[in-house]
Amino acid sequence: MSETTETIFSKIIRREIPADVVYEDDLALAFKDINPQAPVHILVIPKQPIPKLADAQSQDHQLLGHLLLTVKLVAQQAGLDNGYRVVINTGADGGQTVDHLHLHILGGRSLTWPPG
Ligand code: 5GP
């Protein structure tokens, strides 16, 4: 099993701190990023706090698939019909700052490549 960590995202899941939640189900929560890098910037997180993608285990495969399908649904709801980017920053070199797995949905403008 993954080591569980308490982060600000756990507090958002428990509604102990406010967030602009756009989607929720039994396994996942989606909310707007507090520091948006694009006109649409939404984070999709598992309610089960896997610290980072590198900590995911084979038994998490259903949850990971669910998170991707949640991204698709949330992006549709956000009207990102012209495309969007999904980013998972992982670990220090990946630029991860919150140790609770999260998928960034970025859209609403044309995004450049490669990232910095
Ligand atoms: P990372 O750099 O770990 O991939 O992304 C963490 C993201 O969480 C950042 O884009 C940051 O703006 C966002 N974030 C950090 N704290 C909060 C918060 O309290 N509320 C919300 N909505 N987003 C947060």
Side-chain angles (χ1 to χ4, degrees):
M1 282 294 288
S2 314
E3 189 187 330
T4 55
T5 51
E6 175 75 16
T7 70
I8 197 133
F9 290 174
S10 299
K11 292 184 167 60
I12 288 174
I13 291 167
R14 295 197 300 265
R15 305 302 203 272
E16 289 170 10
I17 64 167
D20 195 343
V21 172
V22 297
Y23 176 85
E24 180 169 23
D25 62 28
D26 288 347
L27 298 176
L29 187 74
F31 51 93
K32 294 184 181 176
D33 197 293
I34 203 168
N35 183 24
Q37 301 302 311
V40 176
H41 188 172
I42 296 169
L43 302 174
V44 175
I45 68 172
K47 289 185 171 175
Q48 172 194 331
I50 299 169
K52 60 184 181 297
L53 186 60
D55 296 318
Q57 305 291 312
S58 55
Q59 63 263 30
D60 297 321
H61 77 275
Q62 212 166 347
L63 175 61
L64 296 175
H66 181 77
L67 293 173
L68 279 179
L69 290 170
T70 301
V71 164
K72 173 194 155 180
L73 185 70
V74 168
Q76 271 174 348
Q77 286 179 354
L80 298 177
D81 301 328
N82 207 36
Y84 52 91
R85 185 169 295 164
V86 184
V87 173
I88 303 176
N89 295 326
T90 305
D93 279 2
Q96 184 175 4
T97 59
V98 178
D99 290 335
H100 182 132
L101 175 65
H102 48 283
L103 292 78
H104 296 257
I105 303 173
L106 295 152
R109 67 173 168 85
S110 184
L111 298 161
T112 58
W113 190 265

